[in-house]
Amino acid sequence: MWLKRRPVFVIIFNMKIEVVNVTHIFYRGTPLERIALRDIDLTIEEGECLLVAGNTGSGKSTLLQIIAGLIEPTGGQVLYDGRQRKGYEVRKHIGIAFQYPEDQFFAETVFDEIAFAVRNFYPDEDPVPFVKRAMEFVGLNFDEFKDRVPFFLSGGEKRRVAIASVIVHEPDVLMLDEPLVGLDREGKGDLLRVIEKWKKLKRTVVIISHDIETVIKHVDRVVFLENGRKIFDGSREDFLREIDVHYLTTRLRTMRRLLLSGEDPFSMGDEELIDRVYRI
Ligand SMILES: Nc1ncnc2c1ncn2[C@@H]1O[C@H](COP(=O)(O)OP(=O)(O)OP(=O)(O)O)[C@@H](O)[C@H]1O
């Protein structure tokens, strides 16, 4: 279903996304032609938390941008609740944060930065309650931060402002392209807590990350791309069991061994897991 006006966060509302036979070729028919995606089929169920992984240039960002309605694929289609939608309509319902989203800050205050999407999608609404809810959601105090200059915040605060600005209009789906990159341990922890909160709303989240070992604990499912093709699509457990160990770090290999020996590496705390990494 598709709502005209977004409800507040307490109302659970989601949608199924179907990527059907999507191919994308940049600069088709020119000497610069580049095939970014080849024959991708992918269904993202309502409320799922999905990790899209793969080497550099494997097509992850292109896939997210196509799903978010920012790029029209050169082949295939994307269905939302079984229907094709116009780009503007899709963007209203899918919030996407790009890599280093704070590089795209443009406003002079945190409030104006975050309020932008509400003013764009719901010009008749008062943005204040939306901005307050979004800031509270990412753990930023409204009174303390609303008049601050976004460029002068810490790295972790900037990233949270960026996430607030993509969820402020209360989309159904959140897409994060490398959300942890450039953050210190504390910043990563804060961001993972925001993702966990979003999951509790039973809303869909799609994350691109090279840091599979940090993110895997927080996702339900993994899609792995290679040269624009989907080479794996399954649960995080199946990912560890089946993916070519060549792609896995020592920590992921340890998680794999624990899983294969009947233990649950996802319920282990970081300390315990690191201890096991050194023991194996
Ligand atoms: N705007 C563009 N114009 C031309 N080619 C592009 C464009 N964007 C991406 N590509 C090419 O498409 C392919 C897939 O790129 P994409 O950014 O989707 O990969 P990725 O898996 O997200 O990479 P990374 O992990 O480095 O971010 C690459 O070969 C890339 O060079």
Side-chain angles (χ1 to χ4, degrees), residues 49 51 53 178-181 183-193 195-196 199 207-220 222 236 239-240 248-253 255 265-266 268-270 273-274:
C49 181
L51 167 64
E178 295 289 357
L180 304 179
V181 81
L183 294 180
D184 59 16
R185 195 183 161 88
E186 194 186 338
K188 285 183 185 175
D190 287 342
L191 208 100
L192 290 166
R193 273 188 287 281
I195 292 172
E196 283 300 324
K199 281 169 60 185
I207 303 166
I208 290 180
S209 184
H210 281 107
D211 189 355
I212 304 175
E213 58 178 45
T214 302
V215 171
I216 197 160
K217 198 169 162 180
H218 302 271
V219 302
D220 307 313
V222 181
R236 59 187 185 179
F239 173 75
L240 281 187
L248 304 180
T249 60
T250 311
R251 186 159 163 182
L252 282 166
R253 281 198 211 114
M255 291 172 93
F266 304 111
M268 288 181 185
D270 273 353
L273 201 53
I274 287 165

Side-chain angles (χ1 to χ4, degrees), residues 109-112 114-115 119 126-148 160-161 164 168:
T109 66
V110 164
F111 182 88
D112 284 339
I114 298 175
R119 289 176 171 145
D126 173 9
V128 173
F130 285 86
V131 175
K132 271 188 174 166
R133 279 196 295 272
M135 288 178 68
E136 189 187 325
F137 193 84
V138 298
L140 291 172
N141 182 282
F142 181 75
D143 293 321
E144 191 186 330
F145 282 93
K146 69 178 170 40
D147 298 322
R148 300 268 299 269
R160 282 185 282 154
V161 168
V168 68

Side-chain angles (χ1 to χ4, degrees), residues 93-106:
H93 293 267
I94 298 182
I96 180 166
F98 299 105
Q99 294 184 35
Y100 292 105
E102 51 278 1
D103 287 354
Q104 284 150 35
F105 284 167
F106 62 93

Side-chain angles (χ1 to χ4, degrees), residues 192-233:
L192 290 166
R193 273 188 287 281
V194 171
I195 292 172
E196 283 300 324
K197 256 174 107 175
W198 184 267
K199 281 169 60 185
K200 283 210 177 83
L201 298 172
K202 305 259 186 277
R203 288 189 181 177
T204 311
V205 50
V206 183
I207 303 166
I208 290 180
S209 184
H210 281 107
D211 189 355
I212 304 175
E213 58 178 45
T214 302
V215 171
I216 197 160
K217 198 169 162 180
H218 302 271
V219 302
D220 307 313
R221 185 174 147 210
V222 181
V223 164
F224 203 91
L225 302 180
E226 191 177 82
N227 288 329
R229 287 191 198 284
K230 188 176 78 168
I231 61 160
F232 178 86
D233 182 352

